[in-house]
Every structure is written in C-alpha cells, then in structure tokens.
Amino acid sequence: MTNRILLACVALCIAGHAIAKDTQAANSRAFSFKKDTFPFDNETVWKYQSDPDKDAVADADEGPTYTLHCFVLSRSARQFFQFARFDATLRRVSDDRYRDLIREVIAHDPSETEPLPAKIVIPGYASLRSFGIAKEAMLKAELGSAAESFLQRGNWRMVFPFSHDHQEDTANSLLAKIRQQRPPVVHLVTFPKITINHAVLLFGAVETPGSIIFQIYDPNRSAVPARLSYDRAKRSFTFPRNKYFPGGEVDVYEVYKSAVY
C-alpha cells in the first residue's frame, strides 16, 4: 500500500509539472452541439446491466461495426472545434484532399495552448455535422482506431483513488474551461468496477446553488446532448441512466490536457 501511495504521489507531481496553462480559447465562438459534433454513434460492444453492482459483459448478439471509439470521437470533436474552420461557400475538393485535411486536424493535440496561424479550412461544408453526414465512412477510417481508447495517455489515472477534494477541483476546473471556450474531454469511470469506462466532451454548464449541470456530447448518443451532474454538497458527479449505464455516481477527470493526461 505504501508503494502504491508513493507511486501515486510521484505520478501526480509529474502530471502537475507537465500541465500547461490554458492561454488561448480553442475558438472565438461557443461550441455548438448542432454544428460541432459527429452525426454517427460510437456503438456499444457491451451488454450493460441494470444492476449497478454488476459489471458489463460482452454482447455477442448485436454485431456492431464501429465500437470502442468514444475517446477518438470526443477528442476529434475538440480538435475540429479548435483547429478547423468549415466554409460552405468554397468549392468541394477530392476525397484524397479531404483525407489530408482530416489528418492535418487530428495531428494537433487538444492540449496545445497557442492558436494556429490560421485554422485548417474544410471547404464545401458548413459544419462538422454536415461533413460527417457526407463523409461518415472516411471519418471513421481516418480519425483513429479503437486501440487509441485503450492506449489513451491518461488511462493510468483511473487506477488511483479519487477524493472529494479532487472531484470538487475537477468540477471547478471543467466549468472554467467551458467558460474559456476550451471544451474539455473527460473520462468517466467507476474503477475497479467497469460499469462505465467512457469519454465525453463537456460544452456547456448551468449552475445552481447546489449543483452544476454540465451539457455533454456523448459519442454513444449523437442525436441529442446528454448531461453530467455535480453535487456541491456531496462533492461528487452523477451520470444518469441510459442504454449503456444503470445510472449513479462516477469519478471524473479531464484527459487530453497535458503530456501525461
């Protein structure tokens, strides 16, 4: 136990030194769910239980074809918001050129704090969502593989305990990022249980005296925004019941924020 605590302290110290200050907004406008999200779902490969004390199990009946890409889609939505600009007035280009443009966008890391000299222009489309309707297969092929969810650089953090102090600091930090127009990507976990192991993007928030209700883009439910709630008194997050999660308390931390997350 002592070695585990020591390792955690060392890792967190390294992380603290590696985190850069957010010096620039990711965009001059607010994130729009209708414009800045993908129109297709990350399909679930698990059969999730209604009992929160039970782990998810593999679902062999459904046969989904695009799975385990929640980190890829959440990260990519942030990258297009931060580094790209869509212009429907420009003439459309070849598929080869669109592939090059997608690769240019995702080559940049969301943790970058300095703006590009000029955003990467995606011609012929008004938004990421309209681009995604037209080029769904291309985007699925180019954005990244499912392995990037397993190998996401911040996955190490979920094995260490999350204190109420940590969750309170996280809630305040996420709220600040949204106000700064740097919509954060977060990892939702219930480790060591695996009732949820998921990434979403936060783009809005409503504050009350007792809570913060975060609006989120959930790659598993691309049609409408979802929500993540923070209880100020309990200093904890809850995620509502849906088709893949029984609902309840989750641990939350931001990813794609530094060299180690």
Side-chain angles (χ1 to χ4, degrees):
M1 179 62 71
T2 301
N3 289 338
R4 180 181 173 182
I5 293 172
L6 179 60
L7 178 61
C9 291
V10 171
L12 291 172
C13 285
I14 293 172
H17 286 296
I19 296 171
K21 292 183 178 179
D22 293 332
T23 57
Q24 296 287 338
N27 203 307
S28 59
R29 61 173 177 83
F31 188 97
S32 167
F33 183 87
K34 292 182 179 180
K35 295 180 179 180
D36 298 316
T37 60
F38 295 99
F40 48 84
D41 286 352
N42 171 63
E43 301 169 280
T44 56
V45 72
W46 300 99
K47 182 181 291 181
Y48 289 86
Q49 307 289 340
S50 58
D51 184 346
D53 293 326
K54 293 182 179 179
D55 289 339
V57 295
D59 185 352
D61 299 328
E62 296 295 326
T65 59
Y66 189 71
T67 64
L68 304 174
H69 285 77
C70 60
F71 281 89
V72 169
L73 292 178
S74 297
R75 182 210 69 211
S76 298
R78 165 65 184 270
Q79 288 168 307
F80 274 94
F81 179 71
Q82 185 166 348
F83 302 116
R85 178 175 65 84
F86 289 85
D87 192 337
T89 67
L90 298 178
R91 181 178 297 179
R92 293 180 182 179
V93 296
S94 68
D95 280 355
D96 285 342
R97 180 57 182 151
Y98 280 127
R99 287 189 186 93
D100 289 341
L101 292 170
I102 292 168
R103 292 169 186 173
E104 284 183 43
V105 172
I106 65 172
H108 290 276
D109 195 283
S111 66
E112 294 177 22
T113 57
E114 295 300 324
L116 300 183
K119 288 187 181 290
I120 298 162
V121 177
I122 312 295
Y125 295 94
S127 67
L128 178 59
R129 187 158 279 255
S130 62
F131 185 54
I133 292 171
K135 303 295 181 182
E136 177 177 341
M138 181 187 297
L139 284 162
K140 287 179 176 179
E142 296 296 337
L143 293 178
S145 71
E148 294 185 34
S149 292
F150 295 107
L151 301 176
Q152 199 281 324
R153 60 182 181 257
N155 280 346
W156 62 270
R157 176 61 185 90
M158 69 178 172
V159 305
F160 298 108
F162 291 87
S163 68
H164 289 298
D165 285 345
H166 177 277
Q167 294 294 270
E168 181 178 30
D169 289 343
T170 297
N172 292 331
S173 174
L174 297 176
L175 185 60
K177 296 286 182 68
I178 291 168
R179 288 172 172 168
Q180 197 181 14
Q181 294 179 187
R182 292 184 67 87
V185 177
V186 300
H187 192 179
L188 311 179
V189 296
T190 52
F191 192 85
K193 301 289 291 183
I194 51 172
T195 50
I196 191 168
N197 179 18
H198 188 41
V200 300
L201 180 145
L202 281 59
F203 66 89
V206 177
E207 291 188 85
T208 72
S211 67
I212 306 173
I213 309 300
F214 291 100
Q215 295 174 292
I216 67 173
Y217 160 54
D218 180 351
N220 291 2
R221 304 171 63 200
S222 62
V224 294
R227 73 179 190 275
L228 174 70
S229 301
Y230 174 74
D231 187 305
R232 296 185 191 274
K234 294 181 179 178
R235 297 195 297 167
S236 63
F237 290 88
T238 57
F239 196 48
R241 180 187 177 94
N242 55 44
K243 67 179 182 180
Y244 62 87
F245 181 60
E249 189 170 319
V250 294
D251 291 316
V252 177
Y253 68 100
E254 187 181 357
V255 291
Y256 303 112
K257 63 180 288 187
S258 74
V260 294
Y261 279 99

